[in-house]
Amino acid sequence: MLYFSRWKVTAILLTIFVALVVLIPNYLSSDQIKSYWPSWLPGRQVVLGLDLQGGVYLLYQVDVNDYKQKRLKSLEGDIRQAMRDEPRIGYTGLGIQGDVVQMKVRDADKFDEAAKRLRNLLTPLSTGALGGVAVTEFQLDQGSDGLMRLGFSEAGLDKRLGTVVQQSIEVIRRRVDQMGAVEPSIQRQGSDRILVEAPGEKDPARLKNIIGRTAQMTFHLVDLNVSPEEAAKGNLPPGEILLKQKEAGGIPMVVDETPLMTGEDLTDAQTSFQSQTNEPVVSFRLSTSGARKFAQVTSDNVGRLFAIVLDDEIISAPRINEPITQGSGQISGHFTVETANDLAVLLRAGALPAKLSVAEERTVGPGLGADSIAAGERAAMIGTVAVVIFMLAAYGLFGVFANVALVVNLILIMAIITILQATLTLPGIAGIVLTMGMAVDSNVLIYERIREEQRLGRSPVSAIDAGFRRAFGTILDANITTLIAAIVLFQMGSGPVKGFAVTHVIGIVTTMFTAITFTRLVVATWVRYRRPSVVPL
């Protein structure tokens, strides 16, 4: 049937009307004009990408060596504890040698028991694909002379690094979101890299400082019986380390190496002000288990200094005057409001599992973004005008119908991008321009089919109906294959490729709607009122 029922016509027109309403906020230029826009109507605007509005491009790389050393240090402590379990096993030379932790068992009769305890430390990470073989992070190399080495397995290290990258992405996302950045793009690149794009970010240095800090917070007891000068010469008691203070001229302090608590026990951190000095401080709250642990630590160590360490630097070392049982406290360190806010953001978001180094950094200015928008608009305008002229020259009145559908198609594309809050990039504009050219392909197929049907002697209504009906299969096949390719680009691509794929996928869907439904409605309306004896094609 060529004609539409009333409810179908209403649905089509309502869809176009809603799309127009969604688009209007994009053209409300000033805040004063925006204030008149009703709050109950859609108010979102198109999110512009880094290349269109400027911003920060940061490519981070996971410091694999730092992560490996941390894991080996932790493994060394686990081995020491395993050998101390009853019955104790005597050993010598426990330490890190390159990428392995090694030790030598003294008693030959204890070799098997020591190996058994070490194997218990090899926690499976996953099940292998072949034969159900477990993948472990470490593997044991046992010598006949009692020398035992625990080092990374290749499969285990790869899996651990994948987990580290994914955890880092989540931490970075929380940090950037809490800074208030608009629609940041954070994604994995390769095996050990993370790409961060923050469109519109005006303070790249602060963003880089927030993202790049490991923010590993620990709490240590201070040992005042050991002179920092002697400790600097290497005269450190076992189990203690020397850390410098952020304030007090960087004077170092000797603290216990094993932390009493870590930042994992924190549940919240907010900026506040000291009542006496009105200086900015960071107030923190502990979890239930952390509060119990904190109460026990402060009860057992009244009168001692308690160092709060962030990334191996003491930011505060208050004295414990009385047990702290309420599960909260304050971190002071001569902060400004901004540095206190940044520290609170870091503590709330959590620590990175490994250090990150900047592999590539770019800052795109808003002027360059404005030039890109202007160039994209010119390209879109030239492409659209060329298509419009061609359709008018080739199909006359029906070319006008195709051009009206082209405008509706563009409205729908931009409305869907606005609703989905998809980021519009310069390659995305290229995708829209390509869609404009491909959109009329469907009309060309339909019109040529109508011409063929009319040459076979069909009446105008019959020829038009057959043209739309018989061209439908060809249009559907062509768009589905293109849609599959665009979806693959979106899934497998990144950055510019993904930006192109987003608008292309949306354009294919809207093209199907405008070519098959909207154009048919326009042609059917024209036929109903003009009753043509010949189709002007």
Side-chain angles (χ1 to χ4, degrees):
M1 293 294 292
L2 178 62
Y3 303 114
F4 287 84
S5 62
R6 286 187 177 181
W7 72 267
K8 286 185 178 180
V9 174
T10 303
I12 295 170
L13 296 179
L14 183 62
T15 300
I16 298 171
F17 175 76
V18 170
L20 286 170
V21 172
V22 169
L23 277 183
I24 291 176
N26 288 295
Y27 301 96
L28 302 180
S29 55
S30 68
D31 292 335
Q32 183 177 1
I33 296 176
K34 291 177 186 177
S35 64
Y36 294 111
W37 185 251
S39 59
W40 51 272
L41 287 176
R44 292 180 172 181
Q45 294 182 311
V46 172
V47 178
L48 299 180
L50 185 68
D51 50 358
L52 294 183
Q53 66 168 317
V56 183
Y57 172 103
L58 295 169
L59 183 62
Y60 284 96
Q61 184 166 14
V62 174
D63 191 332
V64 178
N65 289 329
D66 175 72
Y67 173 75
K68 289 165 71 173
Q69 290 303 309
K70 283 183 178 178
R71 291 294 297 138
L72 292 173
K73 190 69 176 175
S74 174
L75 180 61
E76 181 184 359
D78 293 340
I79 294 174
R80 182 180 289 110
Q81 183 59 49
M83 296 301 108
R84 287 177 179 175
D85 291 344
E86 296 297 336
R88 292 195 171 205
I89 298 176
Y91 62 90
T92 59
L94 176 61
I96 300 173
Q97 298 293 330
D99 285 346
V100 300
V101 180
Q102 70 177 28
M103 71 167 191
K104 189 169 185 179
V105 180
R106 291 198 188 101
D107 190 348
D109 294 337
K110 302 288 187 179
F111 286 178
D112 292 340
E113 177 62 24
K116 179 181 178 181
R117 294 186 185 184
L118 292 180
R119 289 192 185 94
N120 289 336
L121 300 177
L122 306 180
T123 306
L125 298 178
S126 65
T127 301
L130 298 176
V133 179
V135 176
T136 58
E137 183 178 7
F138 299 103
Q139 57 188 6
L140 175 61
D141 180 15
Q142 181 180 351
S144 58
D145 58 350
L147 186 64
M148 298 186 180
R149 296 184 179 90
L150 274 177
F152 291 97
S153 68
E154 184 175 348
L157 181 59
D158 288 343
K159 186 167 183 63
R160 274 291 190 183
L161 284 178
T163 304
V164 166
V165 171
Q166 192 57 45
Q167 289 175 344
S168 299
I169 289 175
E170 295 304 319
V171 172
I172 291 173
R173 191 180 305 281
R174 289 196 295 268
R175 292 181 181 181
V176 175
D177 287 346
Q178 291 186 28
M179 284 182 63
V182 178
E183 291 297 324
S185 172
I186 305 169
Q187 54 190 328
R188 180 174 179 171
Q189 284 212 338
S191 60
D192 60 351
R193 291 189 171 193
I194 301 170
L195 174 63
V196 180
E197 292 181 328
E201 178 59 41
K202 296 179 176 59
D203 193 350
R206 180 171 178 245
L207 178 68
K208 189 165 67 171
N209 181 56
I210 289 290
I211 293 176
R213 295 183 68 178
T214 308
Q216 181 65 56
M217 175 163 282
T218 52
F219 300 84
H220 304 252
L221 286 174
V222 178
D223 187 354
L224 295 178
N225 296 321
V226 181
S227 167
E229 291 77 13
E230 288 297 319
K233 296 177 182 178
N235 300 324
L236 269 171
E240 295 189 345
I241 55 176
L242 187 67
L243 298 177
K244 69 175 183 178
Q245 299 183 70
K246 184 176 181 180
E247 304 295 336
I251 298 175
M253 301 181 77
V254 178
V255 302
D256 292 347
E257 182 177 13
T258 304
L260 296 171
M261 294 176 56
T262 67
E264 295 176 356
D265 295 307
L266 271 67
T267 58
D268 190 26
Q270 300 290 339
T271 303
S272 59
F273 295 88
Q274 281 186 334
S275 56
Q276 295 87 356
T277 62
N278 204 35
E279 289 185 352
V281 295
V282 177
S283 300
F284 63 88
R285 183 168 296 279
L286 300 168
S287 62
T288 302
S289 60
R292 286 197 298 266
K293 196 185 304 181
F294 197 49
Q296 183 65 44
V297 168
T298 53
S299 298
D300 296 341
N301 296 280
V302 173
R304 295 190 63 178
L305 296 183
F306 193 62
I308 302 173
V309 179
L310 182 68
D311 294 342
D312 298 327
E313 185 179 52
I314 300 173
I315 58 175
S316 182
R319 186 177 300 277
I320 303 173
N321 295 319
E322 59 183 7
I324 302 173
T325 58
Q326 67 269 29
S328 61
Q330 288 184 343
I331 302 172
S332 59
H334 302 287
F335 298 121
T336 64
V337 174
E338 183 175 339
T339 56
N341 284 332
D342 290 350
L343 178 56
V345 166
L346 291 171
L347 296 182
R348 287 197 303 270
L352 290 170
K355 286 183 179 179
L356 299 178
S357 58
V358 179
E360 185 179 351
E361 175 184 358
R362 294 203 303 265
T363 301
V364 181
L368 181 59
D371 292 341
S372 298
I373 293 176
E377 287 178 344
R378 282 196 301 271
M381 185 65 67
I382 293 171
T384 302
V385 169
V387 170
V388 167
I389 293 174
F390 171 80
M391 292 302 292
L392 288 173
Y395 298 104
L397 178 62
F398 275 58
V400 174
F401 297 158
N403 291 334
V404 172
L406 196 64
V407 174
V408 172
N409 193 6
L410 182 59
I411 292 172
L412 292 174
I413 290 173
M414 296 306 297
I416 293 175
I417 291 174
T418 304
I419 292 172
L420 297 180
Q421 289 290 274
T423 302
L424 181 62
T425 61
L426 195 57
I429 294 178
I432 293 175
V433 175
L434 178 62
T435 300
M436 294 297 98
M438 293 178 59
V440 295
D441 286 352
S442 300
N443 295 106
V444 170
L445 288 172
I446 294 170
Y447 294 167
E448 292 300 325
R449 188 70 192 191
I450 293 173
R451 277 179 174 175
E452 184 178 340
E453 295 295 331
Q454 189 171 231
R455 282 197 296 266
L456 293 175
R458 288 179 177 267
S459 66
V461 173
S462 179
I464 292 172
D465 181 59
F468 277 98
R469 183 162 36 82
R470 294 184 178 181
F472 174 76
T474 305
I475 295 171
L476 185 63
D477 291 343
N479 281 280
I480 286 178
T481 53
T482 309
L483 182 63
I484 291 172
I487 291 174
V488 171
L489 283 176
F490 179 79
Q491 292 293 333
M492 305 297 292
S494 61
V497 174
K498 185 167 286 190
F500 171 83
V502 167
T503 54
H504 198 36
V505 168
I506 295 172
I508 292 170
V509 175
T510 57
T511 295
M512 290 290 292
F513 172 80
T514 54
I516 297 172
T517 305
F518 179 76
T519 305
R520 186 166 182 166
L521 172 62
V522 174
V523 173
T525 304
W526 172 77
V527 169
R528 181 188 294 272
Y529 288 99
R530 295 301 300 268
R531 302 289 182 180
S533 58
V534 177
V535 180
L537 277 174

